């Protein structure tokens, strides 16, 4: 089909990357996620892909033939600020939502952050496509860079130290 489905995950045959047509003799296939209106970001972990839509989080795990991949809904009513707002650090996926920070370590949870109100009261969500994150694993940190409410370019950041739980600074 030439029509794009923003909730569809497709994969080609393992032996032929040009063959996307599912058949009993190959591993090509697809899964349509049911919660959300578009896939926003994915993060590869050791054992799964974490797929974040505009309103939910899924785990995508490789099963092998005949089903190849399986999706599992991990959480609903969850947001992500943009396609580059998620990262993995020390085996845990962290991301910035539109009003709070999240982590996935086998279960989805909201991060306890003293600066949450400060950050989300001074953020330009019209420029959320510019939000990006990074890690500084030498200091056990996740950094999110974003536009303040009065800016159209990235001019602020928040740092979360995942060892000193809940410690964040701007």
């Amino acid at each position: 089909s030439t029509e794009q489905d923003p909730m569809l995950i497709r994969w080609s045959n393992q032996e032929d990357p040009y063959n996307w047509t599912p058949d009993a003799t190959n591993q090509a296939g697809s899964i349509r996620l049911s919660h959300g209106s578009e896939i926003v970001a994915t993060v590869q972990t050791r054992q799964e892909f974490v797929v974040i839509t505009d309103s939910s989080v899924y785990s995508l795990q490789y099963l092998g033939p005949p089903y190849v991949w399986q999706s599992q809904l991990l959480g609903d009513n969850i947001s992500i600020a943009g396609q580059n707002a998620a990262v993995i650090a020390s085996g845990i996926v962290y991301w910035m939502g539109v009003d709070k920070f999240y982590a996935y370590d086998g279960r989805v949870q909201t991060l306890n952050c003293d600066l949450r109100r400060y950050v989300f009261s001074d953020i330009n969500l019209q420029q959320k496509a510019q939000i990006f994150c990074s890690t500084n694993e030498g200091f056990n940190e996740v950094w999110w860079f974003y536009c303040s409410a009065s800016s159209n370019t990235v001019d602020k950041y928040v740092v979360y130290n995942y060892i000193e739980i809940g410690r964040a600074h701007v």
Side-chain angles (χ1 to χ4, degrees):
S1 170
T2 58
E3 187 175 323
Q4 185 174 352
D5 182 345
M7 292 294 288
L8 185 68
I9 299 172
R10 295 181 64 206
W11 56 90
S12 68
N13 181 24
Q14 186 176 14
E15 301 296 323
D16 181 3
Y18 300 104
N19 183 357
W20 292 77
T21 306
D23 189 285
T25 62
N26 70 30
Q27 290 194 36
S30 65
I31 294 175
R32 186 175 195 293
L33 304 179
S34 59
H35 291 75
S37 60
E38 69 175 332
I39 296 169
V40 179
T42 61
V43 178
Q44 182 179 356
T45 69
R46 281 186 36 178
Q47 299 180 357
E48 64 193 331
F49 283 91
V50 176
V51 180
I52 308 169
T53 73
D54 57 346
S55 66
S56 59
V57 180
Y58 285 86
S59 168
L60 193 65
Q61 294 183 325
Y62 181 75
L63 298 177
Y67 302 109
V68 188
W69 291 93
Q70 172 186 334
S71 68
Q72 177 184 358
L73 181 65
L74 301 174
D76 209 0
N77 297 319
I78 293 170
S79 65
I80 185 165
Q83 67 182 10
N84 297 312
V87 70
I88 187 166
S90 293
I92 299 173
V93 178
Y94 296 93
W95 71 95
M96 177 187 234
V98 296
D99 61 352
K100 59 184 92 167
F101 297 96
Y102 297 93
Y104 170 71
D105 61 357
R107 66 184 178 95
V108 177
Q109 54 192 333
T110 301
L111 292 180
N112 182 18
C113 178
D114 296 337
L115 294 173
R116 176 180 165 196
R117 188 173 299 131
Y118 174 81
V119 170
F120 292 104
S121 67
D122 185 29
I123 189 170
N124 184 349
L125 289 176
Q126 291 181 344
Q127 298 296 326
K128 66 183 184 178
Q130 293 188 55
I131 295 171
F132 66 97
C133 63
S134 181
T135 62
N136 184 346
E137 293 198 47
F139 291 95
N140 308 307
E141 296 172 339
V142 176
W143 293 55
W144 285 277
F145 299 84
Y146 63 97
C147 302
S148 64
S150 62
S151 179
N152 288 324
T153 58
V154 173
D155 63 344
K156 288 205 170 184
Y157 65 88
V158 61
V159 180
Y160 179 79
N161 185 302
Y162 49 85
I163 297 297
E164 299 176 30
I165 303 297
R167 290 269 332 248
H169 61 273
V170 178

